[in-house]
Amino acid sequence: MAGKEITEGATGRQVRENIKRIREARDMSWAQMSRFLERAGRPIAALGLRRIEDGSRRADVDDLMAIAIVLDVTPNDLLLPPAGSGAADATGMVSRDADLIWAWAGGRAQLDSEEPWAGFRSGRTDDPRASTEVRLVLSKEDFKLAIREALRDE
């Protein structure tokens, strides 16, 4: 049975652009990154990484997390446009300033959209998560330390 082809959206494009930008900034080859991913427990061949970057292979959420660990960034660093980059899309549905998208992703702002889904998290009493939300916030340094310790323990 042939499945429906899934086309790449704005977030998929952003993820692959960010992976390439950050990997190159780290002066890391696909082969090196592949070895690091294997050591982290999520092997992806160098060819698979090249295909992720060129858009011919999709990165699933487990790939995304492992790649973030290996590149020593947060998942948001892969999912979101670079901070300070100006206008950007959030999944291709909402265009806002990149810094506002980062604040929204960190729970510090709302996108204030006129779209039908915009009021769900506005603190209305009919929001089922309004009184039960719990957040765990780690600093970037604590996140890096936890990842390093986890990899060292293996």
Side-chain angles (χ1 to χ4, degrees):
M1 179 173 129
K4 179 182 174 188
E5 184 177 328
I6 300 173
T7 59
E8 180 181 61
T11 303
R13 256 187 322 278
Q14 189 66 66
V15 166
R16 66 186 177 86
E17 289 170 6
N18 286 339
I19 290 171
K20 181 177 182 175
R21 177 179 52 79
I22 295 167
R23 179 188 59 78
E24 288 177 346
R26 303 274 192 274
D27 200 26
M28 187 184 298
S29 70
W30 291 313
Q32 290 170 318
M33 191 169 164
S34 178
R35 284 192 299 273
F36 291 139
L37 285 163
E38 186 171 348
R39 284 182 44 207
R42 185 71 182 180
I44 302 174
L47 178 61
L49 294 169
R50 182 184 65 80
R51 287 180 175 165
I52 287 171
E53 287 184 12
D54 73 19
S56 61
R57 178 187 187 278
R58 295 175 62 98
D60 69 21
V61 293
D62 293 313
D63 295 339
L64 181 90
M65 293 298 286
I67 291 169
I69 290 167
V70 166
L71 292 176
D72 198 21
V73 297
T74 68
N76 278 350
D77 289 312
L78 298 181
L79 288 167
L80 304 177
S85 62
D89 283 336
T91 72
M93 299 184 318
V94 178
S95 182
R96 297 288 184 273
D97 182 77
D99 292 336
L100 176 61
I101 293 172
W102 271 91
W104 165 76
R108 298 181 309 278
Q110 290 186 328
L111 293 179
D112 296 326
S113 173
E114 295 298 321
E115 302 299 331
W117 58 81
F120 184 70
R121 292 197 42 128
S122 65
R124 297 182 331 213
T125 58
D126 59 336
D127 180 345
R129 296 172 291 177
S131 62
T132 59
E133 184 173 344
V134 176
R135 293 190 183 168
L136 173 63
V137 179
L138 292 176
S139 70
K140 190 170 185 177
E141 290 73 30
D142 288 341
F143 176 79
K144 288 179 181 180
L145 180 63
I147 297 306
R148 286 189 189 108
E149 288 177 1
L151 289 174
R152 189 173 32 246
D153 290 343
E154 289 185 4

